[in-house]
Amino acid sequence: MAFLCARAAPALLPLRGRGPRRSSVSCAAASSSSSGQGAGGVELFQGKVGFLGLGIMGAPMASNLINAGCDVTVWNRTKSKCDPLLSLGAKYESSPAQVASSCDVTFAMLADPESAVEVACGANGAAEGMAPGKGYVDVSTVDAATSKFIGEQIANTGASFLEAPVSGSKKPAEDGLLIFLTSGDESLYKRVAPLLDVMGKSRFYLGDVGNGAAMKLVVNMVMGSMMVSFSEGLLLSEKVGLDPNTLVEVISQGAISAPMFSLKGPSMVKAAYPTAFPLKHQQKDLRLALALAESVSQSIPTVAAANELYKAAKSLGLADQDFSAVIEALKAKVQSSQQ
C-alpha cells in the first residue's frame, strides 16, 4: 500500500510562479500505479518522503505532508523534536543516511550552509543513502556555491537534486503558504510538484542549480533592509511625538503597504519579538547576499549598513529573537549617543 499525494497541479511554468491555490489538497492511500495520475488526470506523488530538520520551518512543513496523507520519515539532531511528528504518524530513522535509504524523495530544511553540507554529505549523511531513482530536495537557505556542492555530491550517487529554498516564515509554513524557489533537476521538480503544493501556495522553476539560492538571498536581503527602514520610521515617529501604531496603519493603506509591516509593527511598538524568523538567520542571509554581490562587483550599500545593525543586535543577545528585534540595535545607538 503506497501513499499517493494528489493535487490538481498545473504544468511546469519555467521562470514563472504558479498562482494562489484555488483548490484543496487531496492525499489518499492507494495502490501504486504506473500512470502517476488519479481520477480526472490529477497528478500524484508515489512513494515515501523523508524530512531532515524539524526546526521552526521544517516541523510544520513535515506536518503538512503527514496531514495530507503522505508516508513521511523524519530525522532531527535533537530527537525530541521528532516526537510531535511521530504522534501524527511519521516514522523515525536515526540518521540522514537511513532516512534517504528508506525514502524515495528526501527534503532537508537546515539552518545554515554548514549544517546543510554536514547533513547531506557528512558521516551518515543523506548522500550515503542515495541511489539512482531517489531524489534530494534541499529547501534550506544557503549560498549558490554550497548548493552546487551538495548537488554534485548527490548526483555522484546517481540520485537527482533540486534546490528549493522557500520564501515565507513560521506562519506561512504552518498554513502551507510558502513560495518555493526551485532549480536543478527538472524531472525531479515535476515529480515533487504535488508535495510542494501541499506545503506552499506557489512555486517557481528557475533553471540551473544556484539560481534558487541566489533568488532567495535577493529576496531576503530586500526584506532585511525593509525591516531596518521600518524600524527607523517607528522610532522617528515616536521621537517627534507621533503614535507609531498610527504610522503602521497609515503605511498599511498606502503604496508601500506590506504584510510584514502590518504583522510585525504592533508587536515591535510593544518591544515584543515572538520568533517567526530568527534574527541570526536574517543576518546570515545578509552576509551571504553581500558575498553574492561581491562576486559580481555589485554595490549594495543599503544592505551593508543593514547587516551591521543586525550584527549589533546579535551582540545584544537577540540572535534567537525575531529579526524585527533589530529595532533594539537602533534604540541602543540612540541611548549610546545620549550618554
Side-chain angles (χ1 to χ4, degrees), residues 277-332:
F277 181 44
L279 186 144
K280 61 185 178 183
H281 293 168
Q282 175 64 83
Q283 193 274 316
K284 176 260 296 183
D285 292 347
L286 292 179
R287 172 174 56 82
L288 294 177
L290 286 164
L292 177 64
E294 179 67 23
S295 72
V296 293
S297 301
Q298 171 65 47
S299 177
I300 48 174
T302 301
V303 177
N307 184 51
E308 292 304 314
L309 281 171
Y310 284 99
K311 287 164 61 177
K314 284 175 61 178
S315 71
L316 295 175
L318 300 168
D320 293 317
Q321 295 290 303
D322 189 75
F323 78 111
S324 55
V326 70
I327 193 173
E328 294 295 331
L330 291 167
K331 293 178 182 177

Side-chain angles (χ1 to χ4, degrees), residues 57-297:
M57 298 293 289
M61 292 171 71
S63 176
N64 285 336
L65 290 174
I66 297 166
N67 290 333
C70 300
D71 186 340
V72 178
T73 300
V74 298
W75 172 88
N76 193 76
R77 283 194 183 93
T78 305
K79 184 177 181 296
S80 60
K81 289 190 176 181
C82 298
D83 293 341
L85 283 301
L86 301 182
S87 68
L88 293 177
K91 301 180 180 67
Y92 171 78
E93 291 289 355
S94 59
S95 72
Q98 290 176 308
V99 171
S101 178
S102 66
C103 294
D104 299 286
V105 171
T106 299
F107 287 82
M109 172 56 92
L110 290 313
D112 50 47
E114 295 75 20
S115 298
V117 170
E118 180 182 355
V119 169
C121 311
N124 295 313
E128 294 185 11
M130 286 288 158
K134 294 181 180 291
Y136 191 77
V137 184
D138 195 343
V139 296
S140 314
T141 298
V142 300
D143 56 286
T146 296
S147 193
K148 290 176 182 178
F149 175 78
I150 293 173
E152 290 170 357
Q153 303 308 305
I154 297 299
N156 287 341
T157 71
S160 301
F161 175 75
L162 187 75
E163 66 169 354
V166 299
S167 180
S169 57
K170 181 180 179 181
K171 189 64 165 59
E174 292 172 344
D175 295 341
L177 297 176
L178 296 170
I179 301 167
F180 287 90
L181 308 172
T182 74
S183 58
D185 191 285
E186 189 171 336
S187 63
L188 181 57
Y189 169 76
K190 293 178 180 179
R191 182 182 176 191
V192 302
L195 302 179
L196 302 183
D197 291 343
V198 169
M199 298 181 285
K201 67 178 181 179
S202 59
R203 45 183 162 85
F204 293 76
Y205 181 74
L206 303 170
D208 295 337
V209 171
N211 289 345
M215 181 67 81
K216 177 59 188 296
L217 291 179
V218 171
V219 169
N220 275 19
M221 84 172 199
V222 172
M223 180 176 71
S225 300
M226 285 173 62
M227 178 56 74
V228 168
S229 180
F230 183 55
S231 297
E232 291 176 340
L234 288 175
L235 292 179
L236 180 59
S237 67
E238 188 172 22
K239 190 77 170 180
V240 299
L242 300 174
D243 183 351
N245 286 300
T246 302
L247 174 66
V248 174
E249 186 175 356
V250 170
I251 287 176
S252 72
Q253 297 185 32
I256 61 171
S257 173
M260 180 178 75
F261 297 153
S262 297
L263 178 66
K264 305 288 187 182
S267 60
M268 292 171 70
V269 173
K270 299 175 183 177
Y273 315 104
T275 306
F277 181 44
L279 186 144
K280 61 185 178 183
H281 293 168
Q282 175 64 83
Q283 193 274 316
K284 176 260 296 183
D285 292 347
L286 292 179
R287 172 174 56 82
L288 294 177
L290 286 164
L292 177 64
E294 179 67 23
S295 72
V296 293
S297 301

